[in-house]
Amino acid sequence: MKTKHFLLFSALFFTSITFSQQDGYWDKDRSTTKEISVSARDRIIIKTEDLPLGTTEVVYRITLLDQNQQLASSLVSVLKSIPDPTGISQGSAGAVFVLSKISGEDKCTYAIFSSNDLASRFKETGKTLESCLFQDEPVSKDAKRLSIEKSTCLKGNAMWFGFESKNWIMNQKIILEVVPWVDKKLSRGWSLDNRKNIIEQCKTSNLAQKMTNSDDFCVCILDKIQTKYKFQEFQKLLPVERSKVFKDSGNSCFGETSTSNGVYADLRNQASLLAKQGRNGDAIAKLTVIINDGKATALDYNAIGTSYLLTKQYGKAIKYLKDGEKLDDTELLIKLNLAHAYLLNDNYKEAKPIYKKYQKQNVTDSLSWTQKTEQDFKAFQKAGIQSEDFERVLKLMKG
């Protein structure tokens, strides 16, 4: 039973380490290790190596050594056994673990600054008010973890450590070690602001503007760009190359996320609402997008034909209704609108056989051809469209 528990614990432990290491890593190649000699009662500034892009946390260790003492193990080697920064903060054991096993009797105070200017003022005056961290109690060794969420020390591209010796006579030997933790995603340069910029740019695209809600579509584009490029690589592309990346990603996302069907359904709903409000010109614009994209149904052609009739654009109504007729020659709503278009375009000769041919049929399951014709004529008159042939047609169908 103990063996099973041990194996289960081991599996969970190593699984935890694996997942943690997938999120980020200790960047030993860009860590800082410096040995400094500080004169008695002196102040000195040490700049770390530039922090790598994507640094979200650092662990630093300060150790004061007596003459000829050597560190037992470097901070980098210690951190190899800690899979992520949170392991240092979980209780005092983690903090003790990264502390140097040895130190001298000398002590110093220190402060950390986020810029060279602030650190330089400390060296001149000894004032620490502008520091992001100040250790005012003299120490012989210290180790801490700083995160970008809780400390302003990481807001610059490096950190500046200011030390003040508390020896009155002898020099001090200080070992400063700083190891950054790099978030893998952020190391590609895709900060929150950079991601927001891509989303905002996406929302101004022609495809996004066709959608009632383009959030999922734009997030899909962002994911594709992030996967293929580091932010710096994307920024170095020529404008025409960036435009192509956006276009290709958009076309891919348009199909992958089932956005296409949703977009055209939204456009149809918008066109229907606009037509009911009497805004037929705006309805035409919505329906034209569907038609130009090759996604129109016979009923879309019927809808745009209706709006062209109500705006007295009879030639265009005939054109689009004939296109719709090619898609579905059995759709009687199209047939009836085509008859209306001929009639209003002063071509009673073409309209008459159509009105006569389907007069005994229904255009829907509950609406007869004649009833629909009467409704349409009233709608035309309400829109200010008059014709002496309205009564003539109604008599024709009743005869």
Side-chain angles (χ1 to χ4, degrees):
M1 183 62 70
K2 289 183 178 179
T3 302
K4 289 182 179 179
H5 285 165
F6 174 75
L7 291 173
L8 178 60
F9 171 77
S10 299
L12 290 172
F13 176 75
F14 286 112
T15 300
S16 173
I17 288 180
T18 300
F19 281 117
S20 298
Q21 289 176 332
Q22 288 175 349
D23 296 332
Y25 57 93
W26 296 112
D27 194 335
K28 58 183 177 56
D29 294 328
R30 286 176 284 189
S31 61
T32 298
T33 302
K34 294 189 178 182
E35 182 176 317
I36 316 107
S37 180
V38 185
S39 302
R41 293 175 292 175
D42 198 5
R43 288 189 293 271
I44 192 170
I45 298 171
I46 301 299
K47 177 182 177 292
T48 66
E49 301 295 333
D50 286 346
L51 298 174
L53 190 64
T55 298
T56 57
E57 310 186 49
V58 299
V59 171
Y60 70 86
R61 183 169 74 179
I62 296 166
T63 311
L64 278 72
L65 300 177
D66 287 340
Q67 194 67 29
N68 299 323
Q69 275 187 308
Q70 299 295 322
L71 285 174
S73 58
S74 69
L75 181 59
V76 167
S77 63
V78 171
L79 291 175
K80 283 182 180 178
S81 60
I82 304 178
D84 67 76
T86 58
I88 299 167
S89 315
Q90 294 170 349
S92 59
V96 171
F97 187 59
V98 298
L99 282 170
S100 175
K101 293 182 180 179
I102 61 171
S103 67
E105 296 180 358
D106 294 343
K107 293 185 177 183
C108 73
T109 59
Y110 69 90
I112 306 177
F113 301 88
S114 59
S115 74
N116 182 59
D117 290 342
L118 297 177
S120 297
R121 285 199 284 273
F122 160 78
K123 184 177 181 181
E124 295 172 4
T125 65
K127 293 182 179 179
T128 59
L129 292 176
E130 296 177 300
S131 65
C132 54
L133 186 147
F134 176 46
Q135 174 59 45
D136 58 347
E137 183 72 24
V139 293
S140 61
K141 59 184 177 182
D142 200 7
K144 283 185 174 66
R145 167 198 171 208
L146 302 176
S147 72
I148 197 169
E149 295 176 351
K150 297 180 179 179
S151 174
T152 57
C153 294
L154 299 181
K155 71 178 184 180
N157 62 350
M159 296 165 60
W160 285 259
F161 283 75
F163 295 97
E164 184 167 7
S165 171
K166 292 304 176 183
N167 279 4
W168 284 91
I169 300 175
M170 304 295 292
N171 292 349
Q172 293 179 329
K173 184 166 73 171
I174 300 175
I175 306 295
L176 170 64
E177 300 167 279
V178 182
V179 183
W181 173 266
V182 179
D183 182 288
K184 285 184 177 179
K185 286 186 178 179
L186 293 180
S187 69
R188 295 178 62 81
W190 290 105
S191 65
L192 179 62
D193 286 341
N194 291 338
R195 298 199 303 275
K196 282 182 178 178
N197 287 337
I198 297 296
I199 294 291
E200 289 171 2
Q201 190 172 344
C202 165
K203 285 183 175 292
T204 64
S205 67
N206 290 332
L207 277 176
Q209 289 182 344
K210 295 176 183 178
M211 306 173 193
T212 302
N213 187 339
S214 60
D215 289 351
D216 289 347
F217 174 69
C218 288
V219 168
C220 176
I221 289 180
L222 173 62
D223 286 343
K224 288 188 177 297
I225 294 176
Q226 283 187 104
T227 300
K228 189 171 183 180
Y229 299 96
K230 291 183 177 180
F231 178 72
Q232 293 82 353
E233 294 172 345
F234 184 70
Q235 288 298 94
K236 289 179 182 178
L237 295 177
L238 296 172
V240 66
E241 293 174 321
R242 285 201 297 271
S243 178
K244 186 176 187 303
V245 171
F246 260 101
K247 183 179 179 181
D248 292 346
S249 300
N251 289 338
S252 178
C253 289
F254 200 57
E256 286 179 16
T257 60
S258 300
T259 305
S260 176
N261 291 336
V263 167
Y264 296 121
D266 284 344
L267 286 171
R268 289 184 183 101
N269 291 335
Q270 292 171 37
S272 176
L273 181 61
L274 290 166
K276 289 176 181 177
Q277 295 172 346
R279 297 167 59 188
N280 286 288
D282 293 330
I284 288 170
K286 300 293 182 183
L287 293 165
T288 299
V289 172
I290 301 174
I291 292 170
N292 289 344
D293 286 355
K295 302 296 182 180
T297 65
L299 290 178
D300 292 327
Y301 282 101
N302 182 66
I304 199 170
T306 301
S307 288
Y308 274 126
L309 287 175
L310 290 168
T311 54
K312 302 181 181 180
Q313 299 181 77
Y314 307 127
K316 289 183 178 179
I318 292 170
K319 173 188 179 301
Y320 282 103
L321 289 166
K322 283 187 173 180
D323 289 341
E325 200 174 33
K326 293 174 185 176
L327 289 180
D328 187 355
D329 191 48
T330 66
E331 181 52 69
L332 294 192
L333 289 172
I334 291 180
K335 299 287 189 184
L336 183 55
N337 264 336
L338 190 56
H340 294 336
Y342 286 133
L343 185 70
L344 294 174
N345 203 37
D346 295 327
N347 193 346
Y348 179 78
K349 183 179 179 181
E350 290 285 345
K352 178 181 177 180
I354 301 175
Y355 283 123
K356 191 69 177 172
K357 182 176 181 179
Y358 303 103
Q359 64 180 346
K360 294 183 179 180
Q361 297 192 40
N362 279 7
V363 293
T364 69
D365 59 349
S366 59
L367 187 64
S368 72
W369 174 277
T370 301
Q371 289 172 325
K372 178 60 173 157
T373 302
E374 291 173 344
Q375 288 180 5
D376 290 349
F377 286 170
K378 288 178 182 178
F380 294 146
Q381 290 170 337
K382 186 177 179 180
I385 300 172
Q386 302 290 342
S387 173
E388 296 177 356
D389 290 325
F390 288 164
E391 288 298 324
R392 187 178 179 187
V393 169
L394 293 176
K395 287 179 181 180
L396 172 71
M397 291 189 294
K398 291 176 181 178

